[in-house]
Amino acid sequence: MSNKSSSSDGASNIDTSGERAAKVGELLGMREFWSGQILHAGVKLGVFELLSDAPLAADAVADELGLEPAYCYRLLRALASLEVLETHDDRRFALSAVGELLQADHPDSLRDDVLFWRSPEYLRSALHLPAIISEGGTSGFAREFGCTIFEYAEQNRAFGAVFNGSQATPSQWMTPLVLGAFDAYEFGRVSHLCDVGGGHGHTLCHLLAEHAHLEGTVVHLPNVIDTEPDHWAGRLGVTDWCQYVVGDMFQTVPRADAYLLKFILHDWPDSECIEVLSTVREAAPKHCRVFVIERLVPEDGRSLAVTRADIEMMAVNDARERTEAAYQSLAEQAGWEFVQTRTQQDETLSVIELRMADA
Ligand SMILES: C[S@@+](CC[C@H](N)C(=O)[O-])C[C@H]1O[C@@H](n2cnc3c(N)ncnc32)[C@H](O)[C@@H]1O
């Protein structure tokens, strides 16, 4: 019989098993899980809005927000430990510079991210992962709520606002990558660019701002189109060249010279991807180009970021991340032909260009 201290490789074996345990602990992310829960409680209870003007004592925060004072103090203390609040000598609490980002009206607010990624809807979907892998098929979201997350966002507008806000955040750092991928693209051939499921229009409006001759259309579901203050056209001064149109990409999209499908196809199983690509093909003129913007699974499957995102897509949407070859195959089944892929920043983002197969 062997145990840790008597095994032939002795102390190094103890270290190895300790390191293995630490690795599992790290992967389980319990510290991050509870940090997230603490942030979520602070955001949900309105702490960051209340502290926007001046520091307050814990009792005053409890009083204003209707919280149990001793518990409120413990929450504020934990938020200060996470450095989203600062503690003053007299036990008053104030927002830190990071904490300001959790206020709803901050221009770079991450409040919706905290609310969505810790929402019961998202967490409950994730719990179905083992069943999904055993049985295949239906997503965790559909198992819990009987519809897709997009239908749910349409029916539950408060959830929809938070969901859409969280989906918009990555554009802050991804749009420069998209612009970089298009650096060498000859936009002279394009007059009208349509961003299908383009959200608040961060990507499209930045392209319109860079290419003065371009006009653009964002096609999206009503819960996004209805939220005009969030639209980027106004913020970037391109309202005269950018339309926001309610539409369903499974039904019809406007005619345009080129289409963006950015982080759209990874949300859907193959059959729905073919439907979307076919809808675009029906509307498109022969000279049209489609740009599928996604993060690609490398052929050898070695990418933690993408394989992890793939499982998230499986759990929430019964969808998947794909290799370049898989996207090419879907495109071909919908009547498109591969032109080229432009990849940015160590494969963080790829733009696959398609043209009509029989043009
Ligand atoms: C991952 S988000 C990407 C949003 C945006 N393209 C971006 O990159 O920020 C996928 C989007 O597809 C939208 N969507 C889902 N079903 C749609 C439909 N039938 N028609 C149009 N948009 C849809 C969702 O509302 C969601 O905002």
Side-chain angles (χ1 to χ4, degrees), residues 150 167 171 197-198 220-221 247-250 262-264 267-268:
F150 309 114
Q167 299 303 289
S171 290
H220 214 117
L221 298 170
D248 177 347
M249 65 194 181
F250 293 105
K262 176 165 160 271
F263 297 117
I264 296 297
D267 282 335
W268 297 95

Side-chain angles (χ1 to χ4, degrees), residues 19-35:
E19 281 166 14
R20 287 178 192 165
K23 176 75 180 170
V24 174
E26 180 195 319
L27 292 176
L28 203 47
M30 286 311 287
R31 290 185 195 140
E32 289 75 14
F33 178 79
W34 280 105
S35 296

Side-chain angles (χ1 to χ4, degrees), residues 148 150-151 153-154 163-164 167-171 174 195-203 219-221 223-224 247-251 260-268 276 293 313 317:
T148 67
F150 309 114
E151 289 163 338
E154 197 56 38
F163 172 62
N164 294 327
Q167 299 303 289
T169 300
S171 290
M174 286 214 180
D195 194 350
V196 179
H200 300 136
H202 195 271
T203 310
V219 186
H220 214 117
L221 298 170
N223 72 84
V224 171
D248 177 347
M249 65 194 181
F250 293 105
Q251 302 293 324
L260 304 178
L261 287 169
K262 176 165 160 271
F263 297 117
I264 296 297
L265 300 184
H266 79 153
D267 282 335
W268 297 95
V276 172
I293 306 175
M313 289 302 116
N317 295 336

Side-chain angles (χ1 to χ4, degrees), residues 84 98 150 156 171 181 220 240 257 267 315 327 332 338 355:
V84 291
V98 178
F150 309 114
N156 301 275
S171 290
H220 214 117
D240 288 350
D257 303 305
D267 282 335
Y327 280 115
E332 279 163 19
F338 174 75
R355 67 177 166 224

